[in-house]
């Protein structure tokens, strides 16, 4: 039974920073990806940042490159998303997800991920 538990999020002013964390348990595959996705009201869910958990290779949406950083802690099976210089357009519900370790060019595609966290609200004003 795969379970993802998110923490962090909240409200911040423009230019501020937030840090999200997501712990995963029950994922038995030897290699897998984890990603952060977000969904703003009236918009489709979009990939923000992903990481191959074993090797630590990271991928980012163009809209957040240089602004967000995804990292992992293998000892605690946790990934984090450090979000800096936040803008109102970053306001969304943020989800973490886990998927297989062979996503290739689909690593930021929500449809390729099988397991999802409950989501956490990020509001930038």
């Amino acid at each position: 039974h795969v379970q993802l538990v998110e923490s962090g999020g909240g409200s911040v002013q423009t230019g501020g920073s937030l840090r999200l964390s997501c712990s995963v348990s029950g994922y038995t595959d030897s290699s897998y990806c984890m990603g952060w996705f977000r969904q703003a009201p009236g918009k489709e869910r979009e990939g923000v940042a992903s990481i191959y958990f074993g090797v630590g290779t990271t991928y980012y949406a163009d809209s957040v490159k240089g602004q967000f950083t995804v990292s992992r802690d293998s000892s605690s099976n946790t990934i984090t998303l450090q979000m800096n210089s936040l803008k109102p357009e970053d306001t969304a519900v943020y989800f973490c997800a886990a998927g297989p370790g062979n996503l290739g060019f689909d690593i930021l595609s929500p449809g390729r991920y099988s397991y999802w966290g409950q989501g956490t609200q990020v509001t930038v004003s």
Side-chain angles (χ1 to χ4, degrees), residues 66-77:
Q67 182 189 1
F68 291 3
T69 302
V70 61
S71 59
R72 100 283 198 210
D73 181 345
S74 300
S75 65
S76 61
N77 287 338

Side-chain angles (χ1 to χ4, degrees), residues 47-94:
V48 173
S50 293
I51 186 168
Y52 280 106
F53 200 87
V55 297
T57 308
T58 58
Y59 299 84
Y60 297 93
D62 288 343
S63 59
V64 303
K65 283 181 180 176
Q67 182 189 1
F68 291 3
T69 302
V70 61
S71 59
R72 100 283 198 210
D73 181 345
S74 300
S75 65
S76 61
N77 287 338
T78 299
I79 64 168
T80 60
L81 184 69
Q82 178 66 42
M83 305 183 292
N84 298 326
S85 303
L86 285 163
K87 300 169 279 190
E89 50 263 45
D90 295 316
T91 296
V93 178
Y94 283 71

Side-chain angles (χ1 to χ4, degrees), residues 4-79:
L4 292 92
V5 179
E6 300 158 359
S7 61
S11 297
V12 66
Q13 292 186 336
T14 298
S17 298
L18 284 173
R19 185 179 180 91
L20 307 180
S21 295
C22 175
S23 63
V24 60
S25 60
Y27 208 102
T28 59
D29 288 359
S30 59
S31 66
Y32 58 97
C33 297
M34 290 187 70
W36 288 100
F37 300 81
R38 65 187 180 186
Q39 188 165 17
K43 294 188 176 181
E44 293 187 354
R45 191 169 299 187
E46 63 174 351
V48 173
S50 293
I51 186 168
Y52 280 106
F53 200 87
V55 297
T57 308
T58 58
Y59 299 84
Y60 297 93
D62 288 343
S63 59
V64 303
K65 283 181 180 176
Q67 182 189 1
F68 291 3
T69 302
V70 61
S71 59
R72 100 283 198 210
D73 181 345
S74 300
S75 65
S76 61
N77 287 338
T78 299
I79 64 168

Side-chain angles (χ1 to χ4, degrees), residues 107-120:
I107 196 169
L108 290 174
S109 299
R112 297 300 306 274
Y113 286 74
S114 302
Y115 304 99
W116 291 83
Q118 76 280 7
T120 185

